[in-house]
Amino acid sequence: MPIQSFNFEVTRVCNGRCVYCDIWKTPNQQNEISIYQIRKGLQPLRFLEKTRVIGLTGGEPALRKDIIELAMILKTVCPNAQFSMVSNGLATERILSVMTELRRVDKNVTISISIDGLEETDSLLRGDPTHFQKAWKTVHALRAKGFSVCIGSMVTPKNIDELERLSDECVAHGIKHILMVVNKSRHYYANHNNTELQALQQIDTVKLKKIIKKINQNYHHYYLPKYLRNPRQMFPCFSGFTSFFLNAVGNVYPCIHLDHCLGNITQQTLGEVWNSDYAQQIRYSIVKKYCHCYTPCETQGWLMANIFPKIIRGLAVKLGD
């Protein structure tokens, strides 16, 4: 199977203080993977020639000083890929500058800004009383420059009653609104010892289902209440098959959740990591559904592979094709 997408944690440096993510508590990485190491490690090129999406994440990805040079290398390796950046929206001028330069590399670059509710609740969850105003300022500045922007919100008991109003605000500005749930990850969020997570994960699924029916903006939302009622791998997962997660020091994982490092591209090529016996073992465990999660980056692959073909076949039958 060709690799269709990957998420790249370009830095762990973060200016946010989110209560459900502990990346900002980890020491700043002094050994972040270099441009040279990326160029050398993402080999052979045929592995990535069909890659369609590269997610640039962090930390706060805009804070990586050489992110534009990094993007240029990635575009050389993955000429058909579209960049999609995730940002907390705090550093408006820096984000706007980075996105302007990224658009020179990829004219279709998109960005997601994180906002978790109305001002008071967002400030509480984001750990910063200035976040709400700064994030919206960034959203409006990006929209004024013609960028495709969406807003991502973590669903918690603290903000669930505000999500419909936030979504209405997004609709009023022509912005897509994506709902996500708080997840635990040792190698990405570093929140495996976070004592606040359990309370933040106790979501009223009946209420959430009603909200989703009202806002109804994204196919990712449809199965979210069902997953929360009975967490499990709902569809065959293609992480480690058609996608992967690359962290800031070059470690390759199947995804942001499954804490099994397949190898490091500063020590081996991606091809060697991808074809290793250990990688095959981890893929076997994924097929056997030993893991589960529900995030947009993973459900997109699930739904495109499992649901969309059924819809297309159904339409073909209806239309008599």
Side-chain angles (χ1 to χ4, degrees), residues 180-251:
M180 299 165 284
V181 290
V182 175
N183 286 289
K184 185 180 290 188
S185 172
R186 180 184 297 270
H187 66 275
Y188 181 48
Y189 299 119
N191 61 359
H192 49 289
N193 293 322
N194 189 317
T195 56
E196 297 192 52
L197 283 193
Q198 188 171 359
L200 292 173
Q201 291 173 317
Q202 304 305 308
I203 298 167
D204 185 334
T205 56
V206 174
K207 186 179 289 187
L208 179 61
K209 188 174 181 179
K210 290 178 180 177
I211 291 168
I212 287 172
K213 278 187 176 179
K214 288 180 181 178
I215 65 175
N216 192 30
Q217 285 193 36
N218 194 281
Y219 60 80
H220 160 77
H221 297 155
Y222 183 77
Y223 290 97
L224 185 54
K226 185 180 291 188
Y227 171 81
L228 290 172
R229 285 195 296 272
N230 181 18
R232 66 201 186 281
Q233 194 182 118
M234 297 180 66
F235 308 103
C237 179
F238 292 90
S239 297
F241 291 89
T242 62
S243 64
F244 64 90
F245 170 63
L246 178 65
N247 81 355
V249 297
N251 289 331

Side-chain angles (χ1 to χ4, degrees), residues 8-207:
F8 184 8
E9 177 193 59
V10 300
T11 183
R12 286 189 75 79
V13 175
C14 191
N15 53 353
R17 295 294 181 267
C18 303
V19 298
Y20 42 73
C21 174
D22 291 342
I23 288 177
W24 59 274
K25 295 180 182 179
T26 59
N28 289 346
Q29 297 280 356
Q30 299 302 317
N31 57 338
E32 287 179 352
I33 189 168
S34 69
I35 300 290
Y36 169 77
Q37 289 171 321
I38 290 165
R39 190 202 304 266
K40 185 178 178 182
L42 293 179
Q43 299 289 335
L45 295 181
R46 61 181 174 80
F47 266 73
L48 298 170
E49 61 186 8
K50 294 187 178 180
T51 299
R52 296 182 298 173
V53 178
I54 300 174
L56 302 175
T57 184
E60 170 53 50
L63 297 182
R64 175 151 178 163
K65 294 178 181 178
D66 61 353
I67 188 171
I68 304 305
E69 292 84 350
L70 180 72
M72 292 171 69
I73 294 298
L74 291 172
K75 194 66 174 175
T76 300
V77 175
C78 312
N80 300 311
Q82 176 182 343
F83 292 124
S84 179
M85 192 166 87
V86 178
S87 171
N88 58 33
L90 284 169
T92 302
E93 295 307 318
R94 173 62 182 169
I95 294 164
L96 195 59
S97 172
V98 166
M99 286 295 291
T100 300
E101 291 302 313
L102 279 176
R103 186 155 57 183
R104 300 182 197 279
V105 183
D106 171 24
K107 65 180 181 179
N108 297 313
V109 61
T110 65
I111 186 169
S112 173
I113 303 294
S114 302
I115 300 176
D116 284 340
L118 304 183
E119 187 164 7
E120 185 177 345
T121 305
D122 177 78
S123 298
L124 176 69
L125 292 171
R126 289 277 153 183
D128 183 343
T130 70
H131 176 266
F132 184 82
Q133 294 295 336
K134 288 179 177 177
W136 272 111
K137 178 184 176 183
T138 301
V139 169
H140 293 315
L142 288 164
R143 292 278 293 167
K145 294 291 185 180
F147 287 104
S148 174
V149 184
C150 75
I151 287 176
S153 302
M154 288 292 186
V155 182
T156 76
K158 295 182 185 296
N159 68 356
I160 192 168
D161 293 321
E162 300 177 1
L163 294 175
E164 191 175 344
R165 288 173 62 189
L166 179 59
S167 191
D168 288 343
E169 185 74 11
C170 291
V171 169
H173 290 94
I175 300 169
K176 185 187 291 186
H177 188 204
I178 306 291
L179 302 181
M180 299 165 284
V181 290
V182 175
N183 286 289
K184 185 180 290 188
S185 172
R186 180 184 297 270
H187 66 275
Y188 181 48
Y189 299 119
N191 61 359
H192 49 289
N193 293 322
N194 189 317
T195 56
E196 297 192 52
L197 283 193
Q198 188 171 359
L200 292 173
Q201 291 173 317
Q202 304 305 308
I203 298 167
D204 185 334
T205 56
V206 174
K207 186 179 289 187

